[in-house]
Amino acid sequence: MKGNNMIRLFLSQPRVFFIFIFFLISQAKAGSLDVGVYYYPGWNKPGVNVWEPIKKYPEREPILGWYQDGDDNIIQKQLAWMEKYGVTYIAYDWYWDENTGVKNRTFAIDAYLRNSQATNIKFALLWANHTNTPKNSKEFDNIVNYWIDNYFKSSKYFTINGRPVVFVFSPQRLEMDGHKFNMDVPSLLKRARLLGNKKGLKDIYFVASTGYDKNNNLIYKYPPNSYDAVSAYNYHIGISNGSPQKDSYSYQELIAGYKYTWNKILSDSDLPYIIPVSSGWDRRPWGGSIPPEHDMSYGNPKEFGKMLSEAKEEIKLHQDKALNNIIICCWNEYGEGSYIEPSKKYGFKFLDEIQKNKNF
């Protein structure tokens, strides 16, 4: 009966009908923002006290303590927090070691796979391809087949239009490595997609990292028929007095550098853009940056929230290109000062800012 009354109301007052439809569309858009986090899986190296350099900066200690990747209790708590505060997928830094193959730094992703059934958080790979691999086409095939057999077939794998997403850390390095065995990037990525097709998958969706070369030129254009989108792990450029400089010397300069880069890519790239944001940069635990002033580029949660808000505004302005997708550097790059995981100093305040900004 109520349904019939609603139909009569819409027929008698078309304006009410259109307002109702607009409301439904706005609600659908409100929940459509994907928020990814890069995850550094370096906190478990047998025989190595990996946290020792970080302990000199006790404010960075995670609320979970100096944990080991691979602990089921740790990943369960991390996933619960991510889901509560609006993160939708994890992009794990993923390495293929030239000597041992994939058996290097997989503790974190293995723990995720064991504990992922109770969560809505998806996962993807950031291929950290700066390990002198692949050396030949056979090794390239081994890498891709490992992805297919161990990750892509999971219902938890993050996809775009049904296609499994792989972020490529260094497109320039992949180009150089491919040239060593006479294959260019379009041929390599086509080869990877065909390997997936043979095992029943849609084409792999490759996302190229953008960034600046040593001459401060932005690299963001790639050969046709190669990558499907662009993004970045992080940027280091700063804007001071309206002009680009090679490195930021404060978080405000870093935000300005990110905004400058977003605008350049969104206005001039032929490819979609997964907008990267960062909680900051301070590499002192790993030995420091050159110049050292660059290590002043860390932010507090409120400043990070401002960056998230400005990224969201860019998505509103460029919905055809921005894929309603933000990716954050990082969940736990403690050595580089890029972390949003709950810590002794800030508690859950970084995650609070994600929750505030996750909807349009």
Side-chain angles (χ1 to χ4, degrees):
M1 194 63 134
K2 290 182 179 178
N4 290 335
N5 290 337
M6 185 69 75
I7 292 171
R8 293 191 190 100
L9 175 64
F10 286 158
L11 290 174
S12 62
Q13 299 186 46
R15 184 170 177 272
V16 174
F17 172 75
F18 287 113
I19 291 174
F20 179 71
I21 294 299
F22 177 80
F23 170 78
L24 291 178
I25 292 172
S26 66
Q27 290 301 299
K29 285 184 177 180
S32 64
L33 184 65
D34 279 315
V35 179
V37 290
Y38 290 119
Y39 190 109
Y40 173 67
W43 308 114
N44 188 351
K45 296 179 183 177
V48 179
N49 188 347
V50 292
W51 287 105
E52 193 60 33
I54 316 301
K55 289 180 179 180
K56 298 174 184 177
Y57 302 84
E59 73 279 3
R60 300 189 190 193
E61 183 179 354
I63 282 181
L64 294 173
W66 307 112
Y67 60 78
Q68 281 197 326
D69 285 326
D71 185 312
D72 288 346
N73 291 325
I74 296 299
I75 188 61
Q76 288 167 13
K77 290 175 182 176
Q78 290 172 333
L79 290 172
W81 293 339
M82 290 179 190
E83 190 151 5
K84 178 180 179 180
Y85 288 92
V87 173
T88 54
Y89 70 97
I90 306 167
Y92 284 97
D93 297 5
W94 189 92
Y95 305 79
W96 184 273
D97 186 78
E98 61 178 327
N99 297 313
T100 62
V102 77
K103 295 178 182 179
N104 184 35
R105 288 188 271 192
T106 64
F107 296 107
I109 198 168
D110 292 344
Y112 167 89
L113 291 170
R114 289 195 304 271
N115 292 277
S116 61
Q117 294 311 305
T119 184
N120 292 312
I121 305 297
K122 302 286 188 178
F123 79 107
L125 301 179
L126 167 75
W127 181 20
N129 64 311
H130 49 299
T131 58
N132 296 317
T133 59
K135 289 189 175 67
N136 50 55
S137 59
K138 181 180 179 181
E139 186 170 42
F140 180 77
D141 290 352
N142 289 341
I143 291 169
V144 176
N145 279 320
Y146 194 97
W147 297 343
I148 295 166
D149 296 338
N150 293 278
Y151 304 132
F152 293 169
K153 292 182 179 181
S154 169
S155 62
K156 298 294 184 178
Y157 199 84
F158 181 66
T159 63
I160 293 178
N161 298 326
R163 300 169 58 189
V165 174
V166 174
F167 295 85
V168 178
F169 180 76
S170 178
Q172 292 72 37
R173 184 61 182 264
L174 183 59
E175 182 179 11
M176 290 189 295
D177 288 339
H179 284 166
K180 294 174 185 176
F181 49 95
N182 300 315
M183 292 194 72
D184 60 17
V185 170
S187 299
L188 282 170
L189 300 190
K190 180 179 180 181
R191 186 183 184 95
R193 293 180 179 113
L194 288 174
L195 287 171
N197 296 159
K198 289 177 181 178
K199 296 187 178 182
L201 296 174
K202 288 187 176 181
D203 286 352
I204 300 169
Y205 192 98
F206 283 104
V207 182
S209 294
T210 58
Y212 290 85
D213 65 17
K214 62 182 179 181
N215 296 315
N216 221 28
N217 297 310
L218 177 61
I219 301 173
Y220 63 102
K221 293 189 175 182
Y222 298 99
N225 304 312
S226 58
Y227 294 100
D228 299 285
V230 292
S231 188
Y233 195 70
N234 52 25
Y235 299 128
H236 296 272
I237 189 173
I239 303 293
S240 180
N241 297 320
S243 300
Q245 58 188 31
K246 186 171 178 58
D247 297 289
S248 59
Y249 293 163
S250 70
Y251 190 67
Q252 290 72 31
E253 290 183 0
L254 188 71
I255 291 179
Y258 268 75
K259 289 177 64 178
Y260 173 87
T261 309
W262 296 342
N263 291 330
K264 178 69 174 174
I265 293 174
L266 286 167
S267 64
D268 199 34
S269 172
D270 295 328
L271 295 174
Y273 187 35
I274 297 175
I275 294 182
V277 300
S278 174
S279 61
W281 179 265
D282 177 3
R283 196 179 180 275
R284 287 176 294 165
W286 287 165
S289 299
I290 299 175
E293 293 86 356
H294 184 37
D295 287 328
M296 299 301 293
S297 302
Y298 52 85
N300 62 45
K302 289 294 183 185
E303 292 170 322
F304 172 68
K306 181 176 184 292
M307 192 177 195
L308 284 177
S309 177
E310 295 188 354
K312 189 169 64 173
E313 290 304 310
E314 291 291 343
I315 289 178
K316 289 180 182 178
L317 292 172
H318 302 277
Q319 290 197 14
D320 57 329
K321 255 188 181 178
L323 298 177
N324 287 348
N325 196 322
I326 291 170
I327 189 159
I328 299 167
C329 183
C330 300
W331 179 260
N332 60 347
E333 276 274 19
Y334 291 100
E336 294 181 353
S338 303
Y339 60 92
I340 61 167
E341 181 175 19
S343 65
K344 292 291 179 69
K345 181 175 182 177
Y346 288 118
F348 289 81
K349 291 180 180 178
F350 279 110
L351 297 188
D352 285 335
E353 296 301 324
I354 295 174
Q355 191 173 52
K356 291 175 187 175
N357 287 282
K358 66 181 180 179
N359 293 327
F360 287 118

